[in-house]
Short mmCIF file of all heavy atoms in Angstrom, two decimals:
data_model
loop_
_atom_site.label_atom_id
_atom_site.label_comp_id
_atom_site.label_asym_id
_atom_site.label_seq_id
_atom_site.Cartn_x
_atom_site.Cartn_y
_atom_site.Cartn_z
N ARG J 1 13.17 15.32 20.10
CA ARG J 1 14.18 15.36 21.16
C ARG J 1 13.55 14.86 22.48
O ARG J 1 12.34 14.95 22.67
CB ARG J 1 14.69 16.79 21.30
CG ARG J 1 15.77 17.00 22.32
CD ARG J 1 16.11 18.50 22.32
NE ARG J 1 16.80 18.93 23.52
CZ ARG J 1 18.12 19.11 23.60
NH1 ARG J 1 18.88 18.97 22.56
NH2 ARG J 1 18.65 19.50 24.78
N SER J 2 14.38 14.37 23.37
CA SER J 2 13.87 13.80 24.62
C SER J 2 12.99 14.78 25.41
O SER J 2 11.99 14.36 25.99
CB SER J 2 15.03 13.34 25.51
OG SER J 2 15.89 14.38 25.82
N ASP J 3 13.35 16.06 25.40
CA ASP J 3 12.56 17.05 26.13
C ASP J 3 11.44 17.66 25.27
O ASP J 3 10.74 18.57 25.72
CB ASP J 3 13.42 18.14 26.72
CG ASP J 3 14.14 18.98 25.66
OD1 ASP J 3 13.98 18.72 24.48
OD2 ASP J 3 14.88 19.91 26.05
N GLY J 4 11.32 17.20 24.03
CA GLY J 4 10.31 17.72 23.14
C GLY J 4 10.63 19.03 22.51
O GLY J 4 9.78 19.64 21.82
N GLY J 5 11.84 19.54 22.71
CA GLY J 5 12.19 20.87 22.27
C GLY J 5 12.46 21.01 20.78
O GLY J 5 12.42 22.14 20.27
N SER J 6 12.79 19.91 20.12
CA SER J 6 13.10 19.97 18.71
C SER J 6 12.49 18.77 18.01
O SER J 6 12.32 17.68 18.60
CB SER J 6 14.63 19.93 18.48
OG SER J 6 15.25 21.06 19.05
N THR J 7 12.10 18.96 16.74
CA THR J 7 11.52 17.90 15.95
C THR J 7 12.14 17.86 14.57
O THR J 7 12.76 18.85 14.09
CB THR J 7 10.01 18.09 15.79
OG1 THR J 7 9.74 19.39 15.21
CG2 THR J 7 9.30 18.03 17.16
N TYR J 8 11.99 16.72 13.92
CA TYR J 8 12.52 16.54 12.58
C TYR J 8 11.58 15.62 11.83
O TYR J 8 11.09 14.63 12.38
CB TYR J 8 13.93 15.92 12.65
CG TYR J 8 14.54 15.69 11.29
CD1 TYR J 8 14.99 16.75 10.53
CD2 TYR J 8 14.67 14.41 10.78
CE1 TYR J 8 15.57 16.52 9.27
CE2 TYR J 8 15.22 14.18 9.54
CZ TYR J 8 15.70 15.25 8.81
OH TYR J 8 16.25 15.03 7.56
N TYR J 9 11.31 15.92 10.54
CA TYR J 9 10.34 15.20 9.77
C TYR J 9 10.89 14.69 8.45
O TYR J 9 11.76 15.35 7.82
CB TYR J 9 9.14 16.10 9.46
CG TYR J 9 8.37 16.53 10.65
CD1 TYR J 9 8.67 17.72 11.33
CD2 TYR J 9 7.29 15.77 11.13
CE1 TYR J 9 7.96 18.11 12.46
CE2 TYR J 9 6.57 16.16 12.26
CZ TYR J 9 6.92 17.34 12.90
OH TYR J 9 6.19 17.73 14.00
N ALA J 10 10.40 13.54 8.03
CA ALA J 10 10.63 13.10 6.67
C ALA J 10 9.95 14.09 5.73
O ALA J 10 8.99 14.77 6.08
CB ALA J 10 10.07 11.70 6.46
N HIS J 11 10.42 14.13 4.50
CA HIS J 11 9.91 15.12 3.54
C HIS J 11 8.41 14.94 3.33
O HIS J 11 7.67 15.94 3.28
CB HIS J 11 10.64 14.98 2.21
CG HIS J 11 10.16 15.93 1.18
ND1 HIS J 11 9.21 15.59 0.21
CD2 HIS J 11 10.50 17.23 0.94
CE1 HIS J 11 9.00 16.66 -0.57
NE2 HIS J 11 9.75 17.63 -0.14
N PHE J 12 7.96 13.69 3.24
CA PHE J 12 6.52 13.49 2.97
C PHE J 12 5.64 13.90 4.15
O PHE J 12 4.46 14.14 3.96
CB PHE J 12 6.24 12.01 2.62
CG PHE J 12 6.48 11.03 3.76
CD1 PHE J 12 5.51 10.86 4.72
CD2 PHE J 12 7.63 10.29 3.82
CE1 PHE J 12 5.71 9.95 5.76
CE2 PHE J 12 7.85 9.38 4.85
CZ PHE J 12 6.89 9.23 5.83
N ALA J 13 6.25 13.98 5.35
CA ALA J 13 5.47 14.33 6.54
C ALA J 13 5.48 15.82 6.83
O ALA J 13 4.60 16.32 7.53
CB ALA J 13 6.00 13.55 7.74
N GLU J 14 6.47 16.52 6.35
CA GLU J 14 6.65 17.93 6.66
C GLU J 14 5.39 18.72 6.25
O GLU J 14 4.93 18.64 5.12
CB GLU J 14 7.87 18.48 5.95
CG GLU J 14 8.13 19.96 6.21
CD GLU J 14 8.53 20.23 7.64
OE1 GLU J 14 9.26 19.40 8.22
OE2 GLU J 14 8.09 21.26 8.19
N GLY J 15 4.87 19.49 7.20
CA GLY J 15 3.70 20.32 6.92
C GLY J 15 2.37 19.62 7.07
O GLY J 15 1.32 20.29 7.10
N ARG J 16 2.37 18.30 7.17
CA ARG J 16 1.13 17.54 7.33
C ARG J 16 1.06 16.81 8.66
O ARG J 16 -0.02 16.68 9.23
CB ARG J 16 0.97 16.51 6.19
CG ARG J 16 0.84 17.11 4.82
CD ARG J 16 0.37 16.05 3.82
NE ARG J 16 1.31 14.92 3.73
CZ ARG J 16 1.00 13.67 3.88
NH1 ARG J 16 -0.27 13.31 4.10
NH2 ARG J 16 1.92 12.70 3.75
N PHE J 17 2.18 16.32 9.12
CA PHE J 17 2.22 15.55 10.36
C PHE J 17 2.90 16.36 11.46
O PHE J 17 3.79 17.17 11.21
CB PHE J 17 3.02 14.24 10.19
CG PHE J 17 2.41 13.26 9.23
CD1 PHE J 17 1.26 13.54 8.52
CD2 PHE J 17 3.05 12.02 9.03
CE1 PHE J 17 0.72 12.60 7.64
CE2 PHE J 17 2.51 11.10 8.16
CZ PHE J 17 1.36 11.38 7.47
N THR J 18 2.47 16.13 12.71
CA THR J 18 3.06 16.78 13.85
C THR J 18 3.38 15.75 14.93
O THR J 18 2.48 15.05 15.38
CB THR J 18 2.12 17.86 14.41
OG1 THR J 18 1.82 18.83 13.42
CG2 THR J 18 2.77 18.54 15.61
N ILE J 19 4.63 15.68 15.31
CA ILE J 19 5.05 14.81 16.41
C ILE J 19 5.14 15.65 17.68
O ILE J 19 5.63 16.77 17.66
CB ILE J 19 6.37 14.10 16.10
CG1 ILE J 19 6.73 13.10 17.19
CG2 ILE J 19 7.50 15.10 15.89
CD1 ILE J 19 7.94 12.24 16.88
N SER J 20 4.66 15.09 18.77
CA SER J 20 4.77 15.78 20.05
C SER J 20 4.83 14.73 21.16
O SER J 20 4.52 13.57 20.93
CB SER J 20 3.55 16.71 20.28
OG SER J 20 2.33 15.98 20.29
N LYS J 21 5.22 15.19 22.33
CA LYS J 21 5.25 14.26 23.46
C LYS J 21 4.91 15.00 24.74
O LYS J 21 5.17 16.18 24.88
CB LYS J 21 6.63 13.59 23.57
CG LYS J 21 7.77 14.50 23.87
CD LYS J 21 9.14 13.85 23.82
CE LYS J 21 9.25 12.50 24.41
NZ LYS J 21 10.62 12.16 24.88
N ASP J 22 4.29 14.27 25.64
CA ASP J 22 3.98 14.77 26.98
C ASP J 22 4.70 13.87 27.94
O ASP J 22 4.26 12.78 28.26
CB ASP J 22 2.48 14.74 27.22
CG ASP J 22 2.07 15.34 28.55
OD1 ASP J 22 2.95 15.49 29.42
OD2 ASP J 22 0.89 15.68 28.72
N ASN J 23 5.85 14.32 28.41
CA ASN J 23 6.67 13.49 29.29
C ASN J 23 6.03 13.24 30.62
O ASN J 23 6.33 12.20 31.24
CB ASN J 23 8.05 14.13 29.46
CG ASN J 23 8.89 14.07 28.21
OD1 ASN J 23 8.65 13.28 27.30
ND2 ASN J 23 9.94 14.91 28.15
N THR J 24 5.18 14.13 31.10
CA THR J 24 4.51 13.92 32.37
C THR J 24 3.54 12.76 32.28
O THR J 24 3.21 12.14 33.31
CB THR J 24 3.79 15.15 32.86
OG1 THR J 24 2.69 15.46 31.97
CG2 THR J 24 4.71 16.34 32.92
N LYS J 25 3.03 12.46 31.08
CA LYS J 25 2.12 11.34 30.86
C LYS J 25 2.79 10.19 30.12
O LYS J 25 2.11 9.20 29.82
CB LYS J 25 0.90 11.81 30.05
CG LYS J 25 0.06 12.86 30.75
CD LYS J 25 -1.10 13.28 29.87
CE LYS J 25 -1.97 14.32 30.56
NZ LYS J 25 -3.10 14.73 29.72
N SER J 26 4.07 10.30 29.88
CA SER J 26 4.82 9.29 29.12
C SER J 26 4.06 8.90 27.84
O SER J 26 3.87 7.71 27.55
CB SER J 26 5.05 8.05 30.00
OG SER J 26 5.92 8.34 31.07
N THR J 27 3.67 9.93 27.10
CA THR J 27 2.88 9.71 25.89
C THR J 27 3.50 10.44 24.71
O THR J 27 3.85 11.62 24.82
CB THR J 27 1.45 10.17 26.08
OG1 THR J 27 0.86 9.50 27.21
CG2 THR J 27 0.60 9.84 24.85
N LEU J 28 3.60 9.74 23.61
CA LEU J 28 4.08 10.28 22.35
C LEU J 28 2.91 10.31 21.37
O LEU J 28 2.11 9.36 21.33
CB LEU J 28 5.18 9.42 21.79
CG LEU J 28 5.76 9.82 20.42
CD1 LEU J 28 6.64 11.04 20.56
CD2 LEU J 28 6.54 8.65 19.82
N TYR J 29 2.81 11.37 20.59
CA TYR J 29 1.70 11.53 19.64
C TYR J 29 2.22 11.76 18.24
O TYR J 29 3.31 12.32 18.03
CB TYR J 29 0.81 12.73 20.01
CG TYR J 29 0.23 12.68 21.38
CD1 TYR J 29 0.84 13.35 22.44
CD2 TYR J 29 -0.95 12.02 21.64
CE1 TYR J 29 0.29 13.34 23.71
CE2 TYR J 29 -1.52 11.98 22.89
CZ TYR J 29 -0.88 12.66 23.95
OH TYR J 29 -1.43 12.65 25.19
N LEU J 30 1.43 11.35 17.29
CA LEU J 30 1.60 11.75 15.90
C LEU J 30 0.27 12.17 15.37
O LEU J 30 -0.63 11.32 15.24
CB LEU J 30 2.20 10.60 15.06
CG LEU J 30 2.48 10.97 13.60
CD1 LEU J 30 3.64 11.98 13.51
CD2 LEU J 30 2.78 9.74 12.76
N GLU J 31 0.12 13.43 15.07
CA GLU J 31 -1.11 13.96 14.47
C GLU J 31 -0.90 14.10 12.99
O GLU J 31 0.05 14.75 12.56
CB GLU J 31 -1.48 15.30 15.10
CG GLU J 31 -1.79 15.18 16.59
CD GLU J 31 -2.27 16.49 17.20
OE1 GLU J 31 -2.75 17.36 16.44
OE2 GLU J 31 -2.19 16.64 18.43
N MET J 32 -1.78 13.52 12.21
CA MET J 32 -1.67 13.48 10.78
C MET J 32 -2.85 14.18 10.14
O MET J 32 -3.99 13.89 10.50
CB MET J 32 -1.58 12.02 10.28
CG MET J 32 -0.39 11.27 10.83
SD MET J 32 -0.42 9.50 10.45
CE MET J 32 -1.65 8.97 11.64
N THR J 33 -2.58 15.06 9.21
CA THR J 33 -3.63 15.78 8.50
C THR J 33 -3.42 15.64 7.01
O THR J 33 -2.35 15.27 6.53
CB THR J 33 -3.65 17.26 8.88
OG1 THR J 33 -2.42 17.87 8.49
CG2 THR J 33 -3.85 17.44 10.38
N ASN J 34 -4.49 15.97 6.26
CA ASN J 34 -4.45 15.90 4.81
C ASN J 34 -3.91 14.56 4.34
O ASN J 34 -3.03 14.47 3.47
CB ASN J 34 -3.60 17.05 4.21
CG ASN J 34 -3.85 17.26 2.75
OD1 ASN J 34 -4.89 16.90 2.22
ND2 ASN J 34 -2.88 17.83 2.06
N LEU J 35 -4.45 13.50 4.89
CA LEU J 35 -3.95 12.16 4.61
C LEU J 35 -4.31 11.71 3.19
O LEU J 35 -5.32 12.11 2.62
CB LEU J 35 -4.53 11.18 5.61
CG LEU J 35 -3.96 11.28 7.02
CD1 LEU J 35 -4.89 10.61 8.03
CD2 LEU J 35 -2.58 10.62 7.06
N THR J 36 -3.44 10.91 2.64
CA THR J 36 -3.64 10.32 1.31
C THR J 36 -3.54 8.82 1.42
O THR J 36 -3.01 8.29 2.41
CB THR J 36 -2.58 10.83 0.32
OG1 THR J 36 -1.32 10.23 0.61
CG2 THR J 36 -2.44 12.34 0.40
N PRO J 37 -4.06 8.07 0.43
CA PRO J 37 -3.91 6.62 0.45
C PRO J 37 -2.47 6.14 0.60
O PRO J 37 -2.24 5.06 1.14
CB PRO J 37 -4.52 6.20 -0.89
CG PRO J 37 -5.53 7.24 -1.18
CD PRO J 37 -4.90 8.51 -0.70
N GLU J 38 -1.50 6.92 0.11
CA GLU J 38 -0.11 6.55 0.25
C GLU J 38 0.38 6.56 1.68
O GLU J 38 1.45 6.02 1.99
CB GLU J 38 0.75 7.47 -0.60
CG GLU J 38 0.65 7.25 -2.12
CD GLU J 38 -0.71 7.65 -2.68
OE1 GLU J 38 -1.26 8.68 -2.22
OE2 GLU J 38 -1.20 6.94 -3.57
N ASP J 39 -0.39 7.17 2.58
CA ASP J 39 -0.03 7.18 4.00
C ASP J 39 -0.47 5.92 4.71
O ASP J 39 -0.15 5.74 5.90
CB ASP J 39 -0.66 8.38 4.71
CG ASP J 39 -0.09 9.69 4.22
OD1 ASP J 39 1.14 9.80 4.03
OD2 ASP J 39 -0.88 10.65 3.99
N THR J 40 -1.21 5.04 4.04
CA THR J 40 -1.67 3.80 4.64
C THR J 40 -0.50 2.95 5.05
O THR J 40 0.48 2.79 4.33
CB THR J 40 -2.55 3.04 3.64
OG1 THR J 40 -3.75 3.78 3.42
CG2 THR J 40 -2.92 1.68 4.19
N GLY J 41 -0.59 2.36 6.26
CA GLY J 41 0.45 1.50 6.72
C GLY J 41 0.36 1.28 8.23
O GLY J 41 -0.54 1.79 8.88
N VAL J 42 1.29 0.53 8.75
CA VAL J 42 1.40 0.31 10.18
C VAL J 42 2.41 1.31 10.72
O VAL J 42 3.58 1.34 10.31
CB VAL J 42 1.84 -1.13 10.50
CG1 VAL J 42 2.06 -1.30 12.01
CG2 VAL J 42 0.80 -2.12 10.00
N TYR J 43 1.96 2.13 11.65
CA TYR J 43 2.81 3.13 12.25
C TYR J 43 3.35 2.64 13.58
O TYR J 43 2.58 2.10 14.39
CB TYR J 43 2.04 4.42 12.43
CG TYR J 43 1.84 5.16 11.14
CD1 TYR J 43 1.00 4.66 10.16
CD2 TYR J 43 2.53 6.36 10.87
CE1 TYR J 43 0.84 5.31 8.93
CE2 TYR J 43 2.37 7.02 9.67
CZ TYR J 43 1.53 6.49 8.70
OH TYR J 43 1.37 7.17 7.49
#
């Protein structure tokens, strides 16, 4: 969500990836854990 208050994930990302944003820095993040070769790609 624009204010960062709510998030939604694809099934494959749920529990492994975390989306967050810092609006004061105009920065969006995606933290990925427990990565597998199937996660390879251009994000």
Side-chain angles (χ1 to χ4, degrees):
R1 181 181 162 102
S2 59
D3 64 0
S6 299
T7 57
Y8 180 73
Y9 296 91
H11 181 264
F12 67 81
E14 180 68 38
R16 296 193 299 127
F17 295 2
T18 301
I19 185 172
S20 62
K21 64 186 320 204
D22 184 343
N23 289 341
T24 66
K25 298 180 179 179
S26 293
T27 304
L28 177 75
Y29 302 96
L30 182 68
E31 297 185 20
M32 300 172 283
T33 63
N34 196 24
L35 287 161
T36 74
E38 287 69 38
D39 294 317
T40 294
V42 175
Y43 285 70

